[in-house]
mmCIF file of all heavy atoms in Angstrom:
data_model
loop_
_atom_site.group_PDB
_atom_site.id
_atom_site.type_symbol
_atom_site.label_atom_id
_atom_site.label_comp_id
_atom_site.label_asym_id
_atom_site.label_seq_id
_atom_site.Cartn_x
_atom_site.Cartn_y
_atom_site.Cartn_z
ATOM 1 N N GLY A 12 0.814 -1.216 -0.004
ATOM 2 C CA GLY A 12 -0.006 -0.011 0.001
ATOM 3 C C GLY A 12 0.839 1.281 -0.009
ATOM 4 O O GLY A 12 0.518 2.219 -0.672
ATOM 5 N N ALA A 13 1.994 1.216 0.749
ATOM 6 C CA ALA A 13 2.882 2.367 0.819
ATOM 7 C C ALA A 13 3.452 2.635 -0.602
ATOM 8 O O ALA A 13 3.579 3.796 -1.031
ATOM 9 C CB ALA A 13 3.944 2.162 1.772
ATOM 10 N N LEU A 14 3.802 1.573 -1.319
ATOM 11 C CA LEU A 14 4.370 1.743 -2.637
ATOM 12 C C LEU A 14 3.365 2.313 -3.622
ATOM 13 O O LEU A 14 3.594 3.154 -4.419
ATOM 14 C CB LEU A 14 4.897 0.346 -3.172
ATOM 15 C CG LEU A 14 6.111 -0.178 -2.513
ATOM 16 C CD1 LEU A 14 6.434 -1.564 -3.011
ATOM 17 C CD2 LEU A 14 7.326 0.784 -2.741
ATOM 18 N N LEU A 15 2.079 1.750 -3.496
ATOM 19 C CA LEU A 15 1.038 2.297 -4.323
ATOM 20 C C LEU A 15 0.772 3.760 -3.998
ATOM 21 O O LEU A 15 0.545 4.583 -4.946
ATOM 22 C CB LEU A 15 -0.249 1.493 -4.140
ATOM 23 C CG LEU A 15 -0.262 0.071 -4.689
ATOM 24 C CD1 LEU A 15 -1.480 -0.670 -4.217
ATOM 25 C CD2 LEU A 15 -0.134 0.098 -6.214
ATOM 26 N N ALA A 16 0.872 4.126 -2.765
ATOM 27 C CA ALA A 16 0.570 5.543 -2.402
ATOM 28 C C ALA A 16 1.636 6.466 -2.947
ATOM 29 O O ALA A 16 1.334 7.611 -3.193
ATOM 30 C CB ALA A 16 0.564 5.626 -0.856
ATOM 31 N N GLN A 17 2.915 5.926 -3.128
ATOM 32 C CA GLN A 17 3.939 6.742 -3.608
ATOM 33 C C GLN A 17 3.910 6.874 -5.114
ATOM 34 O O GLN A 17 4.621 7.746 -5.697
ATOM 35 C CB GLN A 17 5.303 6.175 -3.179
ATOM 36 C CG GLN A 17 5.542 6.214 -1.669
ATOM 37 C CD GLN A 17 6.749 5.406 -1.280
ATOM 38 O OE1 GLN A 17 7.538 5.026 -2.154
ATOM 39 N NE2 GLN A 17 6.930 5.191 0.014
ATOM 40 N N ALA A 18 3.196 6.005 -5.832
ATOM 41 C CA ALA A 18 3.165 6.044 -7.305
ATOM 42 C C ALA A 18 2.385 7.289 -7.733
ATOM 43 O O ALA A 18 1.322 7.588 -7.165
ATOM 44 C CB ALA A 18 2.515 4.776 -7.840
ATOM 45 N N PRO A 19 2.848 8.001 -8.718
ATOM 46 C CA PRO A 19 2.134 9.207 -9.191
ATOM 47 C C PRO A 19 0.809 8.827 -9.742
ATOM 48 O O PRO A 19 0.620 7.797 -10.396
ATOM 49 C CB PRO A 19 3.066 9.729 -10.308
ATOM 50 C CG PRO A 19 4.289 8.961 -10.300
ATOM 51 C CD PRO A 19 4.098 7.769 -9.470
ATOM 52 N N VAL A 20 -0.175 9.681 -9.445
ATOM 53 C CA VAL A 20 -1.528 9.430 -9.978
ATOM 54 C C VAL A 20 -1.476 9.545 -11.477
ATOM 55 O O VAL A 20 -0.961 10.476 -12.087
ATOM 56 C CB VAL A 20 -2.494 10.454 -9.392
ATOM 57 C CG1 VAL A 20 -3.909 10.315 -9.995
ATOM 58 C CG2 VAL A 20 -2.574 10.346 -7.869
ATOM 59 N N GLY A 21 -2.092 8.548 -12.173
ATOM 60 C CA GLY A 21 -2.173 8.566 -13.661
ATOM 61 C C GLY A 21 -0.911 8.098 -14.294
ATOM 62 O O GLY A 21 -0.796 8.173 -15.523
ATOM 63 N N ALA A 22 0.090 7.583 -13.524
ATOM 64 C CA ALA A 22 1.301 7.150 -14.144
ATOM 65 C C ALA A 22 1.039 5.901 -14.988
ATOM 66 O O ALA A 22 0.279 5.038 -14.616
ATOM 67 C CB ALA A 22 2.315 6.805 -13.096
ATOM 68 N N ARG A 23 1.760 5.796 -16.109
ATOM 69 C CA ARG A 23 1.579 4.656 -17.050
ATOM 70 C C ARG A 23 2.919 3.916 -17.091
ATOM 71 O O ARG A 23 3.902 4.479 -17.047
ATOM 72 C CB ARG A 23 1.187 5.114 -18.401
ATOM 73 C CG ARG A 23 -0.217 5.798 -18.453
ATOM 74 C CD ARG A 23 -0.528 6.250 -19.852
ATOM 75 N NE ARG A 23 -1.853 6.878 -19.943
ATOM 76 C CZ ARG A 23 -2.362 7.395 -21.062
ATOM 77 N NH1 ARG A 23 -1.656 7.270 -22.206
ATOM 78 N NH2 ARG A 23 -3.516 7.932 -21.076
ATOM 79 N N ALA A 24 2.715 2.597 -17.358
ATOM 80 C CA ALA A 24 3.925 1.805 -17.600
ATOM 81 C C ALA A 24 4.561 2.255 -18.908
ATOM 82 O O ALA A 24 3.857 2.634 -19.854
ATOM 83 C CB ALA A 24 3.556 0.367 -17.645
ATOM 84 N N PRO A 25 5.860 2.273 -18.957
ATOM 85 C CA PRO A 25 6.510 2.651 -20.222
ATOM 86 C C PRO A 25 6.075 1.755 -21.402
ATOM 87 O O PRO A 25 5.949 0.539 -21.189
ATOM 88 C CB PRO A 25 8.031 2.526 -19.912
ATOM 89 C CG PRO A 25 8.109 1.609 -18.714
ATOM 90 C CD PRO A 25 6.843 1.829 -17.946
ATOM 91 N N LYS A 26 5.936 2.355 -22.574
ATOM 92 C CA LYS A 26 5.566 1.593 -23.766
ATOM 93 C C LYS A 26 6.710 0.709 -24.216
ATOM 94 O O LYS A 26 7.877 1.079 -24.087
ATOM 95 C CB LYS A 26 5.168 2.534 -24.850
ATOM 96 C CG LYS A 26 3.884 3.298 -24.549
ATOM 97 C CD LYS A 26 3.522 4.318 -25.680
ATOM 98 C CE LYS A 26 3.264 3.562 -26.945
ATOM 99 N NZ LYS A 26 2.807 4.496 -28.011
ATOM 100 N N ALA A 27 6.314 -0.404 -24.737
ATOM 101 C CA ALA A 27 7.390 -1.261 -25.296
ATOM 102 C C ALA A 27 7.975 -0.639 -26.535
ATOM 103 O O ALA A 27 7.280 0.105 -27.261
ATOM 104 C CB ALA A 27 6.779 -2.633 -25.645
ATOM 105 N N PRO A 28 9.224 -0.789 -26.740
ATOM 106 C CA PRO A 28 9.863 -0.153 -27.957
ATOM 107 C C PRO A 28 9.360 -0.797 -29.208
ATOM 108 O O PRO A 28 8.886 -1.997 -29.183
ATOM 109 C CB PRO A 28 11.360 -0.468 -27.798
ATOM 110 C CG PRO A 28 11.369 -1.686 -26.871
ATOM 111 C CD PRO A 28 10.214 -1.560 -25.954
ATOM 112 N N PRO A 29 9.294 -0.081 -30.274
ATOM 113 C CA PRO A 29 8.798 -0.648 -31.556
ATOM 114 C C PRO A 29 9.664 -1.820 -31.993
ATOM 115 O O PRO A 29 10.885 -1.797 -31.797
ATOM 116 C CB PRO A 29 8.845 0.514 -32.527
ATOM 117 C CG PRO A 29 9.893 1.456 -31.989
ATOM 118 C CD PRO A 29 9.754 1.336 -30.502
ATOM 119 N N PRO A 30 9.083 -2.785 -32.687
ATOM 120 C CA PRO A 30 9.906 -3.900 -33.154
ATOM 121 C C PRO A 30 10.842 -3.472 -34.262
ATOM 122 O O PRO A 30 10.592 -2.510 -34.981
ATOM 123 C CB PRO A 30 8.873 -4.899 -33.703
ATOM 124 C CG PRO A 30 7.671 -4.024 -34.063
ATOM 125 C CD PRO A 30 7.663 -2.925 -33.055
ATOM 126 N N ALA A 31 11.964 -4.163 -34.383
ATOM 127 C CA ALA A 31 12.897 -3.898 -35.461
ATOM 128 C C ALA A 31 12.293 -4.355 -36.795
ATOM 129 O O ALA A 31 11.474 -5.242 -36.846
ATOM 130 C CB ALA A 31 14.230 -4.652 -35.195
ATOM 131 N N ALA A 32 12.781 -3.737 -37.878
ATOM 132 C CA ALA A 32 12.293 -4.036 -39.210
ATOM 133 C C ALA A 32 12.437 -5.503 -39.575
ATOM 134 O O ALA A 32 11.546 -6.115 -40.198
ATOM 135 C CB ALA A 32 12.928 -3.166 -40.192
ATOM 136 N N GLU A 33 13.520 -6.137 -39.168
ATOM 137 C CA GLU A 33 13.732 -7.509 -39.521
ATOM 138 C C GLU A 33 12.818 -8.476 -38.770
ATOM 139 O O GLU A 33 12.601 -9.587 -39.219
ATOM 140 C CB GLU A 33 15.213 -7.896 -39.284
ATOM 141 C CG GLU A 33 15.702 -7.618 -37.863
ATOM 142 C CD GLU A 33 16.402 -6.299 -37.757
ATOM 143 O OE1 GLU A 33 16.077 -5.396 -38.550
ATOM 144 O OE2 GLU A 33 17.318 -6.194 -36.913
ATOM 145 N N VAL A 34 12.213 -7.937 -37.698
ATOM 146 C CA VAL A 34 11.273 -8.756 -36.944
ATOM 147 C C VAL A 34 9.828 -8.514 -37.507
ATOM 148 O O VAL A 34 9.056 -9.449 -37.778
ATOM 149 C CB VAL A 34 11.317 -8.454 -35.397
ATOM 150 C CG1 VAL A 34 10.190 -9.147 -34.684
ATOM 151 C CG2 VAL A 34 12.688 -8.823 -34.845
ATOM 152 N N ALA A 35 9.523 -7.239 -37.675
ATOM 153 C CA ALA A 35 8.174 -6.861 -38.157
ATOM 154 C C ALA A 35 7.987 -7.262 -39.618
ATOM 155 O O ALA A 35 6.879 -7.635 -40.044
ATOM 156 C CB ALA A 35 7.928 -5.396 -37.945
ATOM 157 N N TRP A 36 9.073 -7.130 -40.454
ATOM 158 C CA TRP A 36 9.010 -7.355 -41.836
ATOM 159 C C TRP A 36 10.110 -8.362 -42.250
ATOM 160 O O TRP A 36 11.098 -7.994 -42.859
ATOM 161 C CB TRP A 36 9.200 -6.089 -42.602
ATOM 162 C CG TRP A 36 8.240 -4.974 -42.277
ATOM 163 C CD1 TRP A 36 6.911 -5.108 -41.972
ATOM 164 C CD2 TRP A 36 8.464 -3.562 -42.255
ATOM 165 N NE1 TRP A 36 6.324 -3.912 -41.753
ATOM 166 C CE2 TRP A 36 7.280 -2.940 -41.911
ATOM 167 C CE3 TRP A 36 9.644 -2.822 -42.526
ATOM 168 C CZ2 TRP A 36 7.209 -1.538 -41.828
ATOM 169 C CZ3 TRP A 36 9.576 -1.450 -42.414
ATOM 170 C CH2 TRP A 36 8.340 -0.801 -42.116
ATOM 171 N N PRO A 37 10.001 -9.642 -41.924
ATOM 172 C CA PRO A 37 11.055 -10.577 -42.127
ATOM 173 C C PRO A 37 11.469 -10.742 -43.578
ATOM 174 O O PRO A 37 12.588 -11.131 -43.920
ATOM 175 C CB PRO A 37 10.554 -11.864 -41.537
ATOM 176 C CG PRO A 37 9.049 -11.711 -41.432
ATOM 177 C CD PRO A 37 8.831 -10.259 -41.218
ATOM 178 N N GLY A 38 10.549 -10.466 -44.472
ATOM 179 C CA GLY A 38 10.860 -10.677 -45.917
ATOM 180 C C GLY A 38 11.288 -9.446 -46.640
ATOM 181 O O GLY A 38 11.457 -9.449 -47.853
ATOM 182 N N VAL A 39 11.447 -8.273 -45.906
ATOM 183 C CA VAL A 39 11.804 -7.015 -46.599
ATOM 184 C C VAL A 39 13.166 -7.110 -47.206
ATOM 185 O O VAL A 39 14.156 -7.699 -46.644
ATOM 186 C CB VAL A 39 11.624 -5.856 -45.659
ATOM 187 C CG1 VAL A 39 12.707 -5.834 -44.591
ATOM 188 C CG2 VAL A 39 11.610 -4.508 -46.381
ATOM 189 N N ALA A 40 13.348 -6.541 -48.369
ATOM 190 C CA ALA A 40 14.622 -6.506 -49.104
ATOM 191 C C ALA A 40 15.486 -5.342 -48.560
ATOM 192 O O ALA A 40 15.041 -4.178 -48.579
ATOM 193 C CB ALA A 40 14.490 -6.384 -50.566
ATOM 194 N N ARG A 41 16.664 -5.637 -48.143
ATOM 195 C CA ARG A 41 17.625 -4.665 -47.647
ATOM 196 C C ARG A 41 18.936 -4.759 -48.451
ATOM 197 O O ARG A 41 19.280 -5.798 -49.023
ATOM 198 C CB ARG A 41 17.928 -4.852 -46.144
ATOM 199 C CG ARG A 41 16.662 -4.835 -45.318
ATOM 200 C CD ARG A 41 16.983 -4.850 -43.825
ATOM 201 N NE ARG A 41 17.578 -3.558 -43.354
ATOM 202 C CZ ARG A 41 17.321 -3.095 -42.180
ATOM 203 N NH1 ARG A 41 16.602 -3.670 -41.303
ATOM 204 N NH2 ARG A 41 17.918 -1.900 -41.810
ATOM 205 N N GLY A 42 19.703 -3.664 -48.459
ATOM 206 C CA GLY A 42 20.990 -3.646 -49.136
ATOM 207 C C GLY A 42 21.909 -2.663 -48.522
ATOM 208 O O GLY A 42 21.553 -1.906 -47.597
ATOM 209 N N GLY A 43 23.090 -2.584 -49.089
ATOM 210 C CA GLY A 43 24.097 -1.574 -48.594
ATOM 211 C C GLY A 43 25.195 -1.421 -49.587
ATOM 212 O O GLY A 43 25.425 -2.273 -50.426
ATOM 213 N N LEU A 44 25.862 -0.287 -49.514
ATOM 214 C CA LEU A 44 26.982 0.046 -50.432
ATOM 215 C C LEU A 44 27.907 1.018 -49.672
ATOM 216 O O LEU A 44 27.432 1.811 -48.873
ATOM 217 C CB LEU A 44 26.536 0.590 -51.766
ATOM 218 C CG LEU A 44 25.852 1.908 -51.811
ATOM 219 C CD1 LEU A 44 25.992 2.496 -53.157
ATOM 220 C CD2 LEU A 44 24.368 1.803 -51.471
ATOM 221 N N PRO A 45 29.171 0.962 -50.046
ATOM 222 C CA PRO A 45 30.139 1.931 -49.409
ATOM 223 C C PRO A 45 29.889 3.367 -49.813
ATOM 224 O O PRO A 45 29.343 3.607 -50.912
ATOM 225 C CB PRO A 45 31.490 1.401 -49.822
ATOM 226 C CG PRO A 45 31.250 0.595 -51.093
ATOM 227 C CD PRO A 45 29.863 -0.016 -50.890
ATOM 228 N N GLY A 46 30.287 4.322 -49.028
ATOM 229 C CA GLY A 46 30.082 5.720 -49.291
ATOM 230 C C GLY A 46 31.155 6.342 -50.113
ATOM 231 O O GLY A 46 31.238 7.535 -50.303
ATOM 232 N N THR A 47 32.048 5.491 -50.711
ATOM 233 C CA THR A 47 33.096 5.922 -51.589
ATOM 234 C C THR A 47 33.105 5.051 -52.827
ATOM 235 O O THR A 47 32.786 3.884 -52.788
ATOM 236 C CB THR A 47 34.474 5.933 -50.886
ATOM 237 O OG1 THR A 47 34.732 4.615 -50.440
ATOM 238 C CG2 THR A 47 34.561 6.907 -49.800
ATOM 239 N N LEU A 48 33.523 5.625 -53.996
ATOM 240 C CA LEU A 48 33.765 4.876 -55.138
ATOM 241 C C LEU A 48 35.134 4.215 -55.152
ATOM 242 O O LEU A 48 35.886 4.442 -54.195
ATOM 243 C CB LEU A 48 33.655 5.790 -56.345
ATOM 244 C CG LEU A 48 32.334 6.569 -56.519
ATOM 245 C CD1 LEU A 48 32.406 7.448 -57.809
ATOM 246 C CD2 LEU A 48 31.165 5.650 -56.551
ATOM 247 N N ALA A 49 35.425 3.415 -56.136
ATOM 248 C CA ALA A 49 36.662 2.662 -56.176
ATOM 249 C C ALA A 49 37.846 3.611 -56.207
ATOM 250 O O ALA A 49 38.970 3.317 -55.807
ATOM 251 C CB ALA A 49 36.718 1.694 -57.337
ATOM 252 N N ASP A 50 37.643 4.837 -56.788
ATOM 253 C CA ASP A 50 38.694 5.856 -56.866
ATOM 254 C C ASP A 50 38.820 6.601 -55.591
ATOM 255 O O ASP A 50 39.690 7.585 -55.558
ATOM 256 C CB ASP A 50 38.545 6.748 -58.087
ATOM 257 C CG ASP A 50 37.243 7.540 -58.071
ATOM 258 O OD1 ASP A 50 36.593 7.574 -56.948
ATOM 259 O OD2 ASP A 50 36.801 8.103 -59.062
ATOM 260 N N GLY A 51 38.090 6.333 -54.573
ATOM 261 C CA GLY A 51 38.164 6.991 -53.289
ATOM 262 C C GLY A 51 37.286 8.202 -53.147
ATOM 263 O O GLY A 51 37.216 8.804 -52.063
#
């Protein structure tokens, strides 16, 4: 009861973080490339 009394009125549990793209969209196509050309 003491702990409940100390909790702020209207406080909410923190929201779960959003899922990562590879979890939410397992089939999504991803790619990558270096930020420089072969000549540097």
Side-chain angles (χ1 to χ4, degrees):
L14 289 175
L15 288 172
Q17 293 171 12
V20 176
R23 297 180 180 179
K26 293 177 64 174
E33 53 266 28
V34 174
W36 304 324
V39 71
R41 303 186 72 146
L44 65 157
T47 54
L48 303 180
D50 60 14

